């Protein structure tokens, strides 16, 4: 059985997959990766199914020891990763040798970085998903963020290592956009036209207080335009 050992968890590191859709009527959040595209790409780089469980790190990454060999990929934001002190670029698959240590620092770009591992992270599923929901303490690894000393099991390696990378043209398409598309939901007619105009005509910024649920910021910001 292959494992990875958490030497430092970083600011907030959780096990996430693509979430558990369809349980909203029961009051269960879908959870899942905040950046599902990066998770999908990371899993493809390491020859997993796109929805395999991976580690999602927020703003500050962790440190992980690999007692056994593993195939890994880092996607999403650049956290300045090193493998035994050597720089490790994101958006590539890498073969890790037994005894090596992966370290991630603070973000150089966006909010979240994903560590995908061939075979995926093995946890007990909740409603068919490995995703962590912190508020309810369900799913993921014991329903919580990772802590120092945690040991995570990996699925069995079933494919030989082949170096994979995301080409520069594709990475350019993944660059953050300043304009977000808004789609009117089934309750949009509950709001008066004056409120809808105010929403569509104003500008917003995602701040440190925001999370995957998208609550309003605690103070006004003005930078990102929303386009209908």
């Amino acid at each position: 059985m292959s494992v990875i050992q958490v030497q430092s968890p970083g600011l907030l590191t959780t096990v996430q997959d693509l979430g558990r859709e369809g349980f909203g009527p029961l009051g269960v959040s879908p959870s899942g990766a905040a950046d599902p595209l990066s998770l999908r790409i990371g899993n493809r780089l390491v020859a997993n199914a796109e929805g395999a469980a991976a580690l999602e790190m927020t703003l500050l990454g962790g440190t992980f020891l690999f007692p056994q060999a593993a195939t890994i990929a880092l996607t999403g934001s650049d956290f300045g990763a090193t493998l035994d002190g050597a720089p490790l670029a994101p958006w590539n698959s890498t073969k890790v040798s037994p005894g090596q240590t992966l370290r991630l620092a603070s973000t150089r770009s966006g909010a979240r970085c994903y560590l995908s591992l061939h075979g995926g992270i093995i946890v007990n599923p909740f409603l068919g998903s490995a995703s962590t929901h912190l508020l309810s303490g369900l799913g993921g690894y014991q329903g919580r963020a990772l802590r120092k000393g945690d040991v995570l099991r990996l699925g069995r390696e079933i494919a030989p290592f082949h170096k994979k990378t995301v080409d520069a043209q594709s990475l350019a398409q993944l660059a953050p956009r300043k304009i977000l598309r808004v789609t009117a939901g089934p309750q949009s007619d509950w709001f008066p036209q004056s409120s809808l105009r105010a929403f569509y005509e104003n500008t917003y910024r995602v701040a440190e207080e925001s999370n995957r649920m998208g609550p309003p910021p605690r103070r006004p910001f003005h930078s990102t335009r929303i386009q209908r």
Side-chain angles (χ1 to χ4, degrees):
M1 177 184 68
S2 294
V3 300
I4 60 171
Q5 298 175 2
V6 181
Q7 295 187 329
S8 171
L11 179 64
L12 178 66
T13 300
T14 57
V15 176
Q16 299 291 346
D17 58 16
L18 293 178
R20 52 182 68 83
E21 297 290 343
F23 298 97
L26 301 177
V28 180
S29 167
S31 304
D35 182 359
L37 183 58
S38 291
L39 176 70
R40 290 176 185 270
I41 293 173
N43 275 322
R44 295 190 67 174
L45 287 171
V46 297
N48 286 344
E50 289 188 347
L55 294 185
E56 178 185 84
M57 293 168 276
T58 302
L59 297 178
L60 175 66
T63 301
F64 308 95
L65 173 66
F66 290 79
Q68 296 87 28
T71 299
I72 69 171
L74 296 168
T75 53
S77 304
D78 182 1
F79 277 30
T82 61
L83 185 63
D84 278 358
L88 184 63
W91 307 103
N92 296 277
S93 60
T94 299
K95 188 69 174 182
V96 179
S97 300
Q100 288 195 294
T101 299
L102 173 69
R103 289 184 173 86
L104 296 102
S106 57
T107 180
R108 297 175 175 177
S109 51
R112 292 178 175 86
C113 175
Y114 293 84
L115 170 59
S116 299
L117 307 103
H118 180 53
I121 296 172
I122 305 302
V123 295
N124 294 325
F126 173 70
L127 296 178
S129 170
S131 285
T132 310
H133 187 249
L134 293 175
L135 291 178
S136 60
L138 298 172
Y141 185 81
Q142 300 181 9
R144 60 170 172 78
L146 298 187
R147 301 171 184 165
K148 180 179 179 180
D150 287 341
V151 177
L152 305 176
R153 294 191 299 122
L154 305 182
R156 183 172 59 90
E157 291 206 22
I158 58 175
F161 174 73
H162 293 290
K163 182 72 174 180
K164 297 181 181 179
T165 187
V166 179
D167 64 87
Q169 183 177 1
S170 298
L171 284 177
Q173 296 295 318
L174 295 173
R177 293 176 291 178
K178 296 293 184 179
I179 299 177
L180 305 178
R181 185 182 67 183
V182 173
T183 302
Q187 293 88 25
S188 60
D189 59 355
W190 293 5
F191 299 90
Q193 288 300 312
S194 58
S195 295
L196 293 175
R197 282 195 301 272
F199 174 74
Y200 289 128
E201 292 173 2
N202 277 292
T203 56
Y204 307 85
R205 178 182 173 188
V206 178
E208 289 84 354
E209 296 89 348
S210 303
N211 60 25
R212 72 185 69 239
M213 300 298 293
R218 299 175 186 170
R219 56 187 184 275
F221 291 95
H222 302 283
S223 66
T224 300
R225 291 193 301 119
I226 292 180
Q227 184 180 57
R228 296 183 69 179

